[in-house]
């Protein structure tokens, strides 16, 4: 479960991230990211009816929410993410969704291994 201060809630927040942020598409999801839009790192999910019936949509949402919650601490402070599930997410395993999410984060240089943190100045 995502903490309350880590969730995008209002449609204006979703719209700002989706229109103003960078976008990376993968086979099972599309990741929209906007850097420095507040003090807390936030995330929101979009799982439309194209993914499947309500049972399938809720299963995909639970999996994505769990995956995002595990990665929130590694993201730059103040960043906002919107993860949009594609129809292929309906048949994907958690591992496949996690691999797509990690690949998208790396592509946007939001994964910890690719961020350009040079450490303290000497």
């Amino acid at each position: 479960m995502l903490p309350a201060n880590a969730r995008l809630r209002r449609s204006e927040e979703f719209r700002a991230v989706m229109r103003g942020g960078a976008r990376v598409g993968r086979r099972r999801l599309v990741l929209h990211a906007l850097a420095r839009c507040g003090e807390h790192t936030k995330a929101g999910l979009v799982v439309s009816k194209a993914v499947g019936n309500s049972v399938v949509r809720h299963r995909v949402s639970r999996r994505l929410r769990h995956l995002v919650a595990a990665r929130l601490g590694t993201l730059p402070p103040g960043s906002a993410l919107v993860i949009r599930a594609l129809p292929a997410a309906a048949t994907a395993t958690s591992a496949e969704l996690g691999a797509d999410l990690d690949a998208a984060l790396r592509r946007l240089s939001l994964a910890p291994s690719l961020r350009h943190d040079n450490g303290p100045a000497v």
Side-chain angles (χ1 to χ4, degrees), residues 76-97:
S79 53
L81 303 176
V82 172
I83 297 101
R84 188 165 45 94
L86 298 176
T91 57
T93 65
S94 293
E96 291 170 335
L97 289 173

Side-chain angles (χ1 to χ4, degrees), residues 53-112:
N53 64 27
S54 66
V55 174
V56 173
R57 291 193 313 269
H58 284 91
R59 183 177 59 235
V60 170
S61 294
R62 281 191 308 271
R63 288 177 176 173
L64 287 173
R65 201 169 27 250
H66 176 75
L67 293 167
V68 170
R71 290 158 176 79
L72 272 182
T74 65
L75 300 174
S79 53
L81 303 176
V82 172
I83 297 101
R84 188 165 45 94
L86 298 176
T91 57
T93 65
S94 293
E96 291 170 335
L97 289 173
D100 278 357
L101 181 60
D102 289 338
L105 289 170
R106 279 193 305 273
R107 181 77 187 257
L108 291 172
S109 298
L110 293 175

Side-chain angles (χ1 to χ4, degrees), residues 42-58:
K42 294 187 173 196
L45 303 174
V46 177
V47 184
S48 73
K49 287 185 178 182
V51 174
N53 64 27
S54 66
V55 174
V56 173
R57 291 193 313 269
H58 284 91

